Amino acid sequence: MVGRAAPIALLLCLAASAARAADSLPQGALMLAQAPPGSKVTLAGKPLHVAADGHYVFGVGRNAGPAVMLEITGPDGTVTRRQITIAKRDWQIDRVDGVPEATVSPSPEDLARIKSDAQRVAAARKTDSEETGWLEHFLWPVTGRISGIYGSQRILNGRPFAPHLGLDIAAPAGTPIRVPADGVVTLADPDQFLTGGTVLIDHGHGVNSVYAHLQAIDVKVGQHLKQGDVIGGLGMTGRATGPNLHWGVSWFTTGLDPALLVPPMPAASQPAH
Ligand SMILES: [Zn+2]
């Protein structure tokens, strides 16, 4: 049995990373493809960042669909068009009570802070670098109980909020959080109003990831990280009801589903409840 397990695990690993040259994508997916080196590629008419070897990447958001058009112009001028259909997903309704009221109904001063926090995150997400972490198979930054999934409509203390564009993983406070792929730190804020200790990592070509509610941050802006390096310690800073990591992956400012990028979580790390 042990001898057979390895190839199965490998298959799962390959299937669970960014979709590779697929003709259909679920909402929230990241797609990686390769054109002949020297090609130009556009998505819905907008140019994509193509690496020297022809690799490129893009993401489709939670509300994307029903299709997008890729246009690939080869080095010889040949134009190929590919329609990618986007499969609609059903979203869960997520009711969370007991959220600290000051974070659900912020004062005007707090609202101003929330806005400036969001602007800093959005600015960091516009980074379009030559980093190559986006080509790697992403790993789980931490394992534990999934306490919030991507896309769910949030009802906090009875009031509707914007959809949840990330994955929440509950684990003991202080658990080390590891970077899922190589990248460069573009933001390291110890105290954002909603997300508390917040780190943003650029993985190249617009692919970035965010880690929120950290109780400790071990990295600095501009620092290069290798897959598996520790970013900081899991916590419950900002708007949180218990120790958890909010993990988000975006393509520029389009929020994607991190669960589509990683293999199934090792069973031993998931508690029964
Ligand atoms: Zn979250």
Side-chain angles (χ1 to χ4, degrees), residues 16-18 26-30 59-62 89-91 138 140 146 148-152 164-168 247-251 254-262:
S17 63
Q27 289 170 326
L30 185 69
V60 295
R62 177 190 188 266
R89 295 170 65 182
D90 289 328
W91 307 114
F138 276 52
W140 286 92
I146 302 296
I149 60 169
Y150 173 87
S152 51
H164 184 241
L165 298 183
L167 203 56
D168 296 331
W247 176 34
V249 175
S250 299
W251 179 61
T254 301
L256 310 174
D257 186 353
L260 298 175
L261 290 172
V262 281

PDB file of all heavy atoms in Angstrom, residues 16-18 26-30 59-62 89-91 138 140 146 148-152 164-168 247-251 254-262:
ATOM      1  N   ALA A  16      -4.199  19.649  -7.976  1.00  0.00           N
ATOM      2  CA  ALA A  16      -4.697  20.673  -7.070  1.00  0.00           C
ATOM      3  C   ALA A  16      -4.003  22.018  -7.215  1.00  0.00           C
ATOM      4  O   ALA A  16      -4.359  22.960  -6.559  1.00  0.00           O
ATOM      5  CB  ALA A  16      -4.567  20.181  -5.628  1.00  0.00           C
ATOM      6  N   SER A  17      -3.010  22.119  -8.081  1.00  0.00           N
ATOM      7  CA  SER A  17      -2.349  23.416  -8.251  1.00  0.00           C
ATOM      8  C   SER A  17      -3.130  24.246  -9.263  1.00  0.00           C
ATOM      9  O   SER A  17      -4.207  23.857  -9.684  1.00  0.00           O
ATOM     10  CB  SER A  17      -0.917  23.188  -8.696  1.00  0.00           C
ATOM     11  OG  SER A  17      -0.919  22.560  -9.948  1.00  0.00           O
ATOM     12  N   ALA A  18      -2.583  25.393  -9.667  1.00  0.00           N
ATOM     13  CA  ALA A  18      -3.247  26.250 -10.643  1.00  0.00           C
ATOM     14  C   ALA A  18      -3.661  25.400 -11.848  1.00  0.00           C
ATOM     15  O   ALA A  18      -2.928  24.514 -12.263  1.00  0.00           O
ATOM     16  CB  ALA A  18      -2.283  27.344 -11.083  1.00  0.00           C
ATOM     17  N   PRO A  26     -13.330  26.895 -12.827  1.00  0.00           N
ATOM     18  CA  PRO A  26     -14.347  27.320 -11.854  1.00  0.00           C
ATOM     19  C   PRO A  26     -14.106  28.785 -11.463  1.00  0.00           C
ATOM     20  O   PRO A  26     -12.975  29.266 -11.562  1.00  0.00           O
ATOM     21  CB  PRO A  26     -14.094  26.395 -10.661  1.00  0.00           C
ATOM     22  CG  PRO A  26     -12.675  25.936 -10.797  1.00  0.00           C
ATOM     23  CD  PRO A  26     -12.300  26.030 -12.251  1.00  0.00           C
ATOM     24  N   GLN A  27     -15.154  29.472 -11.023  1.00  0.00           N
ATOM     25  CA  GLN A  27     -14.990  30.830 -10.497  1.00  0.00           C
ATOM     26  C   GLN A  27     -13.960  30.785  -9.371  1.00  0.00           C
ATOM     27  O   GLN A  27     -13.953  29.861  -8.567  1.00  0.00           O
ATOM     28  CB  GLN A  27     -16.333  31.358  -9.976  1.00  0.00           C
ATOM     29  CG  GLN A  27     -17.309  31.665 -11.109  1.00  0.00           C
ATOM     30  CD  GLN A  27     -18.708  31.956 -10.622  1.00  0.00           C
ATOM     31  OE1 GLN A  27     -19.165  31.380  -9.633  1.00  0.00           O
ATOM     32  NE2 GLN A  27     -19.410  32.831 -11.327  1.00  0.00           N
ATOM     33  N   GLY A  28     -13.076  31.780  -9.327  1.00  0.00           N
ATOM     34  CA  GLY A  28     -12.072  31.851  -8.272  1.00  0.00           C
ATOM     35  C   GLY A  28     -10.781  31.117  -8.587  1.00  0.00           C
ATOM     36  O   GLY A  28      -9.911  31.016  -7.730  1.00  0.00           O
ATOM     37  N   ALA A  29     -10.631  30.611  -9.849  1.00  0.00           N
ATOM     38  CA  ALA A  29      -9.440  29.810 -10.183  1.00  0.00           C
ATOM     39  C   ALA A  29      -8.317  30.664 -10.746  1.00  0.00           C
ATOM     40  O   ALA A  29      -8.527  31.730 -11.302  1.00  0.00           O
ATOM     41  CB  ALA A  29      -9.804  28.727 -11.195  1.00  0.00           C
ATOM     42  N   LEU A  30      -7.117  30.137 -10.591  1.00  0.00           N
ATOM     43  CA  LEU A  30      -5.910  30.708 -11.184  1.00  0.00           C
ATOM     44  C   LEU A  30      -5.520  29.781 -12.327  1.00  0.00           C
ATOM     45  O   LEU A  30      -5.493  28.564 -12.138  1.00  0.00           O
ATOM     46  CB  LEU A  30      -4.799  30.740 -10.131  1.00  0.00           C
ATOM     47  CG  LEU A  30      -3.475  31.409 -10.522  1.00  0.00           C
ATOM     48  CD1 LEU A  30      -3.663  32.917 -10.674  1.00  0.00           C
ATOM     49  CD2 LEU A  30      -2.410  31.139  -9.466  1.00  0.00           C
ATOM     50  N   GLY A  59      -6.159  35.056 -13.306  1.00  0.00           N
ATOM     51  CA  GLY A  59      -7.172  34.517 -12.409  1.00  0.00           C
ATOM     52  C   GLY A  59      -8.553  34.988 -12.816  1.00  0.00           C
ATOM     53  O   GLY A  59      -8.691  36.026 -13.477  1.00  0.00           O
ATOM     54  N   VAL A  60      -9.577  34.218 -12.437  1.00  0.00           N
ATOM     55  CA  VAL A  60     -10.968  34.632 -12.665  1.00  0.00           C
ATOM     56  C   VAL A  60     -11.645  34.762 -11.295  1.00  0.00           C
ATOM     57  O   VAL A  60     -11.477  33.909 -10.431  1.00  0.00           O
ATOM     58  CB  VAL A  60     -11.735  33.666 -13.604  1.00  0.00           C
ATOM     59  CG1 VAL A  60     -11.130  33.700 -15.003  1.00  0.00           C
ATOM     60  CG2 VAL A  60     -11.776  32.243 -13.085  1.00  0.00           C
ATOM     61  N   GLY A  61     -12.363  35.843 -11.105  1.00  0.00           N
ATOM     62  CA  GLY A  61     -12.928  36.171  -9.800  1.00  0.00           C
ATOM     63  C   GLY A  61     -14.169  35.381  -9.430  1.00  0.00           C
ATOM     64  O   GLY A  61     -14.665  34.546 -10.188  1.00  0.00           O
ATOM     65  N   ARG A  62     -14.691  35.675  -8.253  1.00  0.00           N
ATOM     66  CA  ARG A  62     -15.863  34.995  -7.693  1.00  0.00           C
ATOM     67  C   ARG A  62     -17.100  35.162  -8.571  1.00  0.00           C
ATOM     68  O   ARG A  62     -17.939  34.262  -8.662  1.00  0.00           O
ATOM     69  CB  ARG A  62     -16.152  35.556  -6.300  1.00  0.00           C
ATOM     70  CG  ARG A  62     -17.396  34.987  -5.619  1.00  0.00           C
ATOM     71  CD  ARG A  62     -17.684  35.805  -4.373  1.00  0.00           C
ATOM     72  NE  ARG A  62     -18.743  35.246  -3.549  1.00  0.00           N
ATOM     73  CZ  ARG A  62     -20.027  35.616  -3.640  1.00  0.00           C
ATOM     74  NH1 ARG A  62     -20.413  36.487  -4.563  1.00  0.00           N
ATOM     75  NH2 ARG A  62     -20.920  35.083  -2.819  1.00  0.00           N
ATOM     76  N   ARG A  89     -20.309  28.665  -9.541  1.00  0.00           N
ATOM     77  CA  ARG A  89     -20.305  27.906  -8.284  1.00  0.00           C
ATOM     78  C   ARG A  89     -21.415  28.413  -7.381  1.00  0.00           C
ATOM     79  O   ARG A  89     -21.867  29.541  -7.524  1.00  0.00           O
ATOM     80  CB  ARG A  89     -18.956  28.070  -7.573  1.00  0.00           C
ATOM     81  CG  ARG A  89     -17.800  27.473  -8.352  1.00  0.00           C
ATOM     82  CD  ARG A  89     -16.455  27.850  -7.748  1.00  0.00           C
ATOM     83  NE  ARG A  89     -16.264  27.300  -6.414  1.00  0.00           N
ATOM     84  CZ  ARG A  89     -15.182  27.535  -5.668  1.00  0.00           C
ATOM     85  NH1 ARG A  89     -14.216  28.313  -6.124  1.00  0.00           N
ATOM     86  NH2 ARG A  89     -15.063  27.009  -4.470  1.00  0.00           N
ATOM     87  N   ASP A  90     -21.826  27.566  -6.460  1.00  0.00           N
ATOM     88  CA  ASP A  90     -22.814  27.978  -5.448  1.00  0.00           C
ATOM     89  C   ASP A  90     -22.044  28.448  -4.230  1.00  0.00           C
ATOM     90  O   ASP A  90     -21.061  27.833  -3.839  1.00  0.00           O
ATOM     91  CB  ASP A  90     -23.697  26.793  -5.053  1.00  0.00           C
ATOM     92  CG  ASP A  90     -24.651  26.414  -6.167  1.00  0.00           C
ATOM     93  OD1 ASP A  90     -25.075  27.329  -6.906  1.00  0.00           O
ATOM     94  OD2 ASP A  90     -24.942  25.210  -6.318  1.00  0.00           O
ATOM     95  N   TRP A  91     -22.525  29.522  -3.632  1.00  0.00           N
ATOM     96  CA  TRP A  91     -21.819  30.076  -2.472  1.00  0.00           C
ATOM     97  C   TRP A  91     -22.624  29.845  -1.207  1.00  0.00           C
ATOM     98  O   TRP A  91     -23.844  29.957  -1.189  1.00  0.00           O
ATOM     99  CB  TRP A  91     -21.566  31.567  -2.687  1.00  0.00           C
ATOM    100  CG  TRP A  91     -20.876  31.842  -3.986  1.00  0.00           C
ATOM    101  CD1 TRP A  91     -21.401  32.513  -5.063  1.00  0.00           C
ATOM    102  CD2 TRP A  91     -19.565  31.440  -4.387  1.00  0.00           C
ATOM    103  NE1 TRP A  91     -20.492  32.560  -6.087  1.00  0.00           N
ATOM    104  CE2 TRP A  91     -19.358  31.909  -5.700  1.00  0.00           C
ATOM    105  CE3 TRP A  91     -18.539  30.722  -3.765  1.00  0.00           C
ATOM    106  CZ2 TRP A  91     -18.170  31.686  -6.405  1.00  0.00           C
ATOM    107  CZ3 TRP A  91     -17.359  30.509  -4.471  1.00  0.00           C
ATOM    108  CH2 TRP A  91     -17.183  30.985  -5.759  1.00  0.00           C
ATOM    109  N   PHE A 138       1.565  25.364  -4.863  1.00  0.00           N
ATOM    110  CA  PHE A 138       1.417  26.006  -3.547  1.00  0.00           C
ATOM    111  C   PHE A 138       1.245  24.966  -2.442  1.00  0.00           C
ATOM    112  O   PHE A 138       0.623  23.918  -2.637  1.00  0.00           O
ATOM    113  CB  PHE A 138       0.204  26.947  -3.557  1.00  0.00           C
ATOM    114  CG  PHE A 138       0.493  28.320  -4.119  1.00  0.00           C
ATOM    115  CD1 PHE A 138       1.102  28.474  -5.362  1.00  0.00           C
ATOM    116  CD2 PHE A 138       0.153  29.467  -3.417  1.00  0.00           C
ATOM    117  CE1 PHE A 138       1.378  29.738  -5.888  1.00  0.00           C
ATOM    118  CE2 PHE A 138       0.409  30.733  -3.930  1.00  0.00           C
ATOM    119  CZ  PHE A 138       1.026  30.871  -5.159  1.00  0.00           C
ATOM    120  N   TRP A 140       0.141  24.382   1.844  1.00  0.00           N
ATOM    121  CA  TRP A 140      -0.674  24.982   2.898  1.00  0.00           C
ATOM    122  C   TRP A 140       0.217  25.868   3.779  1.00  0.00           C
ATOM    123  O   TRP A 140       1.258  25.403   4.246  1.00  0.00           O
ATOM    124  CB  TRP A 140      -1.310  23.901   3.774  1.00  0.00           C
ATOM    125  CG  TRP A 140      -2.438  23.197   3.103  1.00  0.00           C
ATOM    126  CD1 TRP A 140      -2.354  22.047   2.373  1.00  0.00           C
ATOM    127  CD2 TRP A 140      -3.805  23.598   3.080  1.00  0.00           C
ATOM    128  NE1 TRP A 140      -3.602  21.712   1.893  1.00  0.00           N
ATOM    129  CE2 TRP A 140      -4.511  22.641   2.315  1.00  0.00           C
ATOM    130  CE3 TRP A 140      -4.517  24.679   3.627  1.00  0.00           C
ATOM    131  CZ2 TRP A 140      -5.881  22.735   2.076  1.00  0.00           C
ATOM    132  CZ3 TRP A 140      -5.891  24.762   3.387  1.00  0.00           C
ATOM    133  CH2 TRP A 140      -6.547  23.794   2.622  1.00  0.00           C
ATOM    134  N   ILE A 146     -10.676  24.090   8.842  1.00  0.00           N
ATOM    135  CA  ILE A 146     -11.137  25.150   7.944  1.00  0.00           C
ATOM    136  C   ILE A 146     -12.374  25.787   8.597  1.00  0.00           C
ATOM    137  O   ILE A 146     -13.409  25.142   8.751  1.00  0.00           O
ATOM    138  CB  ILE A 146     -11.496  24.580   6.549  1.00  0.00           C
ATOM    139  CG1 ILE A 146     -10.296  23.872   5.907  1.00  0.00           C
ATOM    140  CG2 ILE A 146     -12.054  25.680   5.637  1.00  0.00           C
ATOM    141  CD1 ILE A 146      -9.113  24.754   5.601  1.00  0.00           C
ATOM    142  N   GLY A 148     -13.611  28.945   7.615  1.00  0.00           N
ATOM    143  CA  GLY A 148     -14.284  29.866   6.691  1.00  0.00           C
ATOM    144  C   GLY A 148     -13.788  29.574   5.292  1.00  0.00           C
ATOM    145  O   GLY A 148     -12.602  29.345   5.102  1.00  0.00           O
ATOM    146  N   ILE A 149     -14.731  29.520   4.321  1.00  0.00           N
ATOM    147  CA  ILE A 149     -14.323  29.171   2.959  1.00  0.00           C
ATOM    148  C   ILE A 149     -14.495  30.373   2.035  1.00  0.00           C
ATOM    149  O   ILE A 149     -15.154  31.361   2.366  1.00  0.00           O
ATOM    150  CB  ILE A 149     -15.094  27.936   2.423  1.00  0.00           C
ATOM    151  CG1 ILE A 149     -16.608  28.207   2.395  1.00  0.00           C
ATOM    152  CG2 ILE A 149     -14.740  26.698   3.239  1.00  0.00           C
ATOM    153  CD1 ILE A 149     -17.399  27.149   1.640  1.00  0.00           C
ATOM    154  N   TYR A 150     -13.904  30.233   0.842  1.00  0.00           N
ATOM    155  CA  TYR A 150     -13.930  31.294  -0.167  1.00  0.00           C
ATOM    156  C   TYR A 150     -15.340  31.482  -0.735  1.00  0.00           C
ATOM    157  O   TYR A 150     -16.047  30.505  -0.996  1.00  0.00           O
ATOM    158  CB  TYR A 150     -12.981  30.913  -1.299  1.00  0.00           C
ATOM    159  CG  TYR A 150     -13.016  31.822  -2.510  1.00  0.00           C
ATOM    160  CD1 TYR A 150     -12.222  32.955  -2.568  1.00  0.00           C
ATOM    161  CD2 TYR A 150     -13.826  31.524  -3.598  1.00  0.00           C
ATOM    162  CE1 TYR A 150     -12.232  33.785  -3.679  1.00  0.00           C
ATOM    163  CE2 TYR A 150     -13.845  32.346  -4.721  1.00  0.00           C
ATOM    164  CZ  TYR A 150     -13.051  33.467  -4.755  1.00  0.00           C
ATOM    165  OH  TYR A 150     -13.058  34.286  -5.859  1.00  0.00           O
ATOM    166  N   GLY A 151     -15.691  32.733  -0.949  1.00  0.00           N
ATOM    167  CA  GLY A 151     -16.915  33.055  -1.686  1.00  0.00           C
ATOM    168  C   GLY A 151     -18.152  33.172  -0.846  1.00  0.00           C
ATOM    169  O   GLY A 151     -19.179  33.655  -1.328  1.00  0.00           O
ATOM    170  N   SER A 152     -18.100  32.717   0.419  1.00  0.00           N
ATOM    171  CA  SER A 152     -19.336  32.706   1.204  1.00  0.00           C
ATOM    172  C   SER A 152     -19.833  34.127   1.474  1.00  0.00           C
ATOM    173  O   SER A 152     -19.055  35.060   1.617  1.00  0.00           O
ATOM    174  CB  SER A 152     -19.140  31.948   2.515  1.00  0.00           C
ATOM    175  OG  SER A 152     -17.999  32.420   3.184  1.00  0.00           O
ATOM    176  N   HIS A 164     -16.646  36.611   1.464  1.00  0.00           N
ATOM    177  CA  HIS A 164     -15.367  36.266   2.065  1.00  0.00           C
ATOM    178  C   HIS A 164     -14.420  35.756   0.979  1.00  0.00           C
ATOM    179  O   HIS A 164     -14.637  34.676   0.439  1.00  0.00           O
ATOM    180  CB  HIS A 164     -15.603  35.180   3.117  1.00  0.00           C
ATOM    181  CG  HIS A 164     -14.395  34.794   3.876  1.00  0.00           C
ATOM    182  ND1 HIS A 164     -13.877  33.525   3.859  1.00  0.00           N
ATOM    183  CD2 HIS A 164     -13.587  35.519   4.675  1.00  0.00           C
ATOM    184  CE1 HIS A 164     -12.808  33.484   4.643  1.00  0.00           C
ATOM    185  NE2 HIS A 164     -12.620  34.682   5.141  1.00  0.00           N
ATOM    186  N   LEU A 165     -13.376  36.547   0.661  1.00  0.00           N
ATOM    187  CA  LEU A 165     -12.482  36.165  -0.441  1.00  0.00           C
ATOM    188  C   LEU A 165     -11.193  35.549   0.100  1.00  0.00           C
ATOM    189  O   LEU A 165     -10.098  36.028  -0.164  1.00  0.00           O
ATOM    190  CB  LEU A 165     -12.208  37.370  -1.342  1.00  0.00           C
ATOM    191  CG  LEU A 165     -13.461  37.933  -2.025  1.00  0.00           C
ATOM    192  CD1 LEU A 165     -13.094  39.080  -2.958  1.00  0.00           C
ATOM    193  CD2 LEU A 165     -14.227  36.856  -2.797  1.00  0.00           C
ATOM    194  N   GLY A 166     -11.341  34.493   0.860  1.00  0.00           N
ATOM    195  CA  GLY A 166     -10.166  33.804   1.386  1.00  0.00           C
ATOM    196  C   GLY A 166     -10.592  32.548   2.104  1.00  0.00           C
ATOM    197  O   GLY A 166     -11.757  32.151   2.073  1.00  0.00           O
ATOM    198  N   LEU A 167      -9.615  31.937   2.748  1.00  0.00           N
ATOM    199  CA  LEU A 167      -9.824  30.692   3.474  1.00  0.00           C
ATOM    200  C   LEU A 167      -9.386  30.948   4.903  1.00  0.00           C
ATOM    201  O   LEU A 167      -8.320  31.517   5.127  1.00  0.00           O
ATOM    202  CB  LEU A 167      -8.916  29.652   2.824  1.00  0.00           C
ATOM    203  CG  LEU A 167      -9.196  28.181   2.940  1.00  0.00           C
ATOM    204  CD1 LEU A 167     -10.594  27.855   2.429  1.00  0.00           C
ATOM    205  CD2 LEU A 167      -8.167  27.415   2.111  1.00  0.00           C
ATOM    206  N   ASP A 168     -10.209  30.568   5.887  1.00  0.00           N
ATOM    207  CA  ASP A 168      -9.813  30.719   7.279  1.00  0.00           C
ATOM    208  C   ASP A 168      -9.414  29.352   7.819  1.00  0.00           C
ATOM    209  O   ASP A 168     -10.138  28.372   7.652  1.00  0.00           O
ATOM    210  CB  ASP A 168     -10.985  31.255   8.121  1.00  0.00           C
ATOM    211  CG  ASP A 168     -11.409  32.648   7.690  1.00  0.00           C
ATOM    212  OD1 ASP A 168     -10.549  33.403   7.181  1.00  0.00           O
ATOM    213  OD2 ASP A 168     -12.600  32.975   7.851  1.00  0.00           O
ATOM    214  N   TRP A 247      -6.273  33.410   4.930  1.00  0.00           N
ATOM    215  CA  TRP A 247      -5.328  33.293   3.815  1.00  0.00           C
ATOM    216  C   TRP A 247      -6.058  33.642   2.520  1.00  0.00           C
ATOM    217  O   TRP A 247      -7.082  33.030   2.211  1.00  0.00           O
ATOM    218  CB  TRP A 247      -4.783  31.864   3.763  1.00  0.00           C
ATOM    219  CG  TRP A 247      -3.865  31.594   2.606  1.00  0.00           C
ATOM    220  CD1 TRP A 247      -3.001  32.475   2.034  1.00  0.00           C
ATOM    221  CD2 TRP A 247      -3.723  30.364   1.890  1.00  0.00           C
ATOM    222  NE1 TRP A 247      -2.322  31.864   1.007  1.00  0.00           N
ATOM    223  CE2 TRP A 247      -2.736  30.576   0.903  1.00  0.00           C
ATOM    224  CE3 TRP A 247      -4.324  29.101   2.004  1.00  0.00           C
ATOM    225  CZ2 TRP A 247      -2.346  29.571   0.013  1.00  0.00           C
ATOM    226  CZ3 TRP A 247      -3.929  28.107   1.124  1.00  0.00           C
ATOM    227  CH2 TRP A 247      -2.951  28.334   0.149  1.00  0.00           C
ATOM    228  N   GLY A 248      -5.534  34.636   1.822  1.00  0.00           N
ATOM    229  CA  GLY A 248      -6.116  35.019   0.536  1.00  0.00           C
ATOM    230  C   GLY A 248      -5.072  34.936  -0.557  1.00  0.00           C
ATOM    231  O   GLY A 248      -3.887  35.158  -0.306  1.00  0.00           O
ATOM    232  N   VAL A 249      -5.508  34.576  -1.769  1.00  0.00           N
ATOM    233  CA  VAL A 249      -4.631  34.600  -2.941  1.00  0.00           C
ATOM    234  C   VAL A 249      -5.345  35.426  -3.998  1.00  0.00           C
ATOM    235  O   VAL A 249      -6.549  35.235  -4.223  1.00  0.00           O
ATOM    236  CB  VAL A 249      -4.334  33.172  -3.478  1.00  0.00           C
ATOM    237  CG1 VAL A 249      -3.528  33.236  -4.764  1.00  0.00           C
ATOM    238  CG2 VAL A 249      -3.583  32.340  -2.432  1.00  0.00           C
ATOM    239  N   SER A 250      -4.637  36.371  -4.597  1.00  0.00           N
ATOM    240  CA  SER A 250      -5.258  37.231  -5.610  1.00  0.00           C
ATOM    241  C   SER A 250      -4.404  37.273  -6.862  1.00  0.00           C
ATOM    242  O   SER A 250      -3.189  37.033  -6.813  1.00  0.00           O
ATOM    243  CB  SER A 250      -5.412  38.671  -5.089  1.00  0.00           C
ATOM    244  OG  SER A 250      -6.233  38.697  -3.947  1.00  0.00           O
ATOM    245  N   TRP A 251      -5.055  37.573  -7.977  1.00  0.00           N
ATOM    246  CA  TRP A 251      -4.346  37.931  -9.197  1.00  0.00           C
ATOM    247  C   TRP A 251      -4.590  39.421  -9.347  1.00  0.00           C
ATOM    248  O   TRP A 251      -5.716  39.830  -9.588  1.00  0.00           O
ATOM    249  CB  TRP A 251      -4.875  37.144 -10.396  1.00  0.00           C
ATOM    250  CG  TRP A 251      -4.186  37.518 -11.674  1.00  0.00           C
ATOM    251  CD1 TRP A 251      -2.856  37.395 -11.957  1.00  0.00           C
ATOM    252  CD2 TRP A 251      -4.795  38.082 -12.832  1.00  0.00           C
ATOM    253  NE1 TRP A 251      -2.609  37.872 -13.226  1.00  0.00           N
ATOM    254  CE2 TRP A 251      -3.772  38.283 -13.792  1.00  0.00           C
ATOM    255  CE3 TRP A 251      -6.098  38.432 -13.174  1.00  0.00           C
ATOM    256  CZ2 TRP A 251      -4.019  38.835 -15.052  1.00  0.00           C
ATOM    257  CZ3 TRP A 251      -6.349  38.970 -14.416  1.00  0.00           C
ATOM    258  CH2 TRP A 251      -5.310  39.165 -15.353  1.00  0.00           C
ATOM    259  N   THR A 254      -7.971  40.813  -8.013  1.00  0.00           N
ATOM    260  CA  THR A 254      -9.048  39.820  -8.136  1.00  0.00           C
ATOM    261  C   THR A 254      -8.823  38.705  -7.119  1.00  0.00           C
ATOM    262  O   THR A 254      -7.844  37.952  -7.223  1.00  0.00           O
ATOM    263  CB  THR A 254      -9.074  39.240  -9.570  1.00  0.00           C
ATOM    264  OG1 THR A 254      -9.287  40.308 -10.490  1.00  0.00           O
ATOM    265  CG2 THR A 254     -10.175  38.209  -9.735  1.00  0.00           C
ATOM    266  N   GLY A 255      -9.721  38.587  -6.152  1.00  0.00           N
ATOM    267  CA  GLY A 255      -9.592  37.579  -5.097  1.00  0.00           C
ATOM    268  C   GLY A 255      -9.923  36.189  -5.610  1.00  0.00           C
ATOM    269  O   GLY A 255     -10.983  35.977  -6.200  1.00  0.00           O
ATOM    270  N   LEU A 256      -9.027  35.230  -5.375  1.00  0.00           N
ATOM    271  CA  LEU A 256      -9.191  33.851  -5.866  1.00  0.00           C
ATOM    272  C   LEU A 256      -9.390  32.896  -4.703  1.00  0.00           C
ATOM    273  O   LEU A 256      -9.235  33.274  -3.544  1.00  0.00           O
ATOM    274  CB  LEU A 256      -7.951  33.448  -6.668  1.00  0.00           C
ATOM    275  CG  LEU A 256      -7.515  34.444  -7.751  1.00  0.00           C
ATOM    276  CD1 LEU A 256      -6.194  34.002  -8.369  1.00  0.00           C
ATOM    277  CD2 LEU A 256      -8.594  34.585  -8.819  1.00  0.00           C
ATOM    278  N   ASP A 257      -9.690  31.633  -5.036  1.00  0.00           N
ATOM    279  CA  ASP A 257      -9.929  30.621  -4.000  1.00  0.00           C
ATOM    280  C   ASP A 257      -8.634  29.852  -3.705  1.00  0.00           C
ATOM    281  O   ASP A 257      -8.212  29.024  -4.519  1.00  0.00           O
ATOM    282  CB  ASP A 257     -11.024  29.661  -4.479  1.00  0.00           C
ATOM    283  CG  ASP A 257     -11.433  28.677  -3.387  1.00  0.00           C
ATOM    284  OD1 ASP A 257     -10.773  28.658  -2.320  1.00  0.00           O
ATOM    285  OD2 ASP A 257     -12.410  27.934  -3.608  1.00  0.00           O
ATOM    286  N   PRO A 258      -8.002  30.079  -2.538  1.00  0.00           N
ATOM    287  CA  PRO A 258      -6.755  29.377  -2.232  1.00  0.00           C
ATOM    288  C   PRO A 258      -6.918  27.854  -2.228  1.00  0.00           C
ATOM    289  O   PRO A 258      -5.977  27.122  -2.532  1.00  0.00           O
ATOM    290  CB  PRO A 258      -6.382  29.868  -0.827  1.00  0.00           C
ATOM    291  CG  PRO A 258      -7.162  31.112  -0.610  1.00  0.00           C
ATOM    292  CD  PRO A 258      -8.412  30.971  -1.445  1.00  0.00           C
ATOM    293  N   ALA A 259      -8.143  27.371  -1.885  1.00  0.00           N
ATOM    294  CA  ALA A 259      -8.367  25.925  -1.792  1.00  0.00           C
ATOM    295  C   ALA A 259      -8.149  25.228  -3.140  1.00  0.00           C
ATOM    296  O   ALA A 259      -7.875  24.030  -3.182  1.00  0.00           O
ATOM    297  CB  ALA A 259      -9.764  25.631  -1.266  1.00  0.00           C
ATOM    298  N   LEU A 260      -8.273  25.998  -4.250  1.00  0.00           N
ATOM    299  CA  LEU A 260      -8.079  25.394  -5.572  1.00  0.00           C
ATOM    300  C   LEU A 260      -6.593  25.239  -5.907  1.00  0.00           C
ATOM    301  O   LEU A 260      -6.243  24.640  -6.912  1.00  0.00           O
ATOM    302  CB  LEU A 260      -8.745  26.255  -6.662  1.00  0.00           C
ATOM    303  CG  LEU A 260     -10.267  26.428  -6.554  1.00  0.00           C
ATOM    304  CD1 LEU A 260     -10.767  27.390  -7.624  1.00  0.00           C
ATOM    305  CD2 LEU A 260     -10.971  25.082  -6.696  1.00  0.00           C
ATOM    306  N   LEU A 261      -5.721  25.796  -5.085  1.00  0.00           N
ATOM    307  CA  LEU A 261      -4.284  25.812  -5.389  1.00  0.00           C
ATOM    308  C   LEU A 261      -3.472  24.788  -4.611  1.00  0.00           C
ATOM    309  O   LEU A 261      -2.296  24.595  -4.903  1.00  0.00           O
ATOM    310  CB  LEU A 261      -3.707  27.195  -5.067  1.00  0.00           C
ATOM    311  CG  LEU A 261      -4.132  28.326  -5.987  1.00  0.00           C
ATOM    312  CD1 LEU A 261      -3.647  29.653  -5.442  1.00  0.00           C
ATOM    313  CD2 LEU A 261      -3.564  28.094  -7.377  1.00  0.00           C
ATOM    314  N   VAL A 262      -4.056  24.215  -3.580  1.00  0.00           N
ATOM    315  CA  VAL A 262      -3.293  23.324  -2.701  1.00  0.00           C
ATOM    316  C   VAL A 262      -3.854  21.903  -2.752  1.00  0.00           C
ATOM    317  O   VAL A 262      -5.038  21.715  -3.038  1.00  0.00           O
ATOM    318  CB  VAL A 262      -3.315  23.840  -1.230  1.00  0.00           C
ATOM    319  CG1 VAL A 262      -2.333  24.972  -1.041  1.00  0.00           C
ATOM    320  CG2 VAL A 262      -4.705  24.249  -0.792  1.00  0.00           C
TER     321      VAL A 262
END
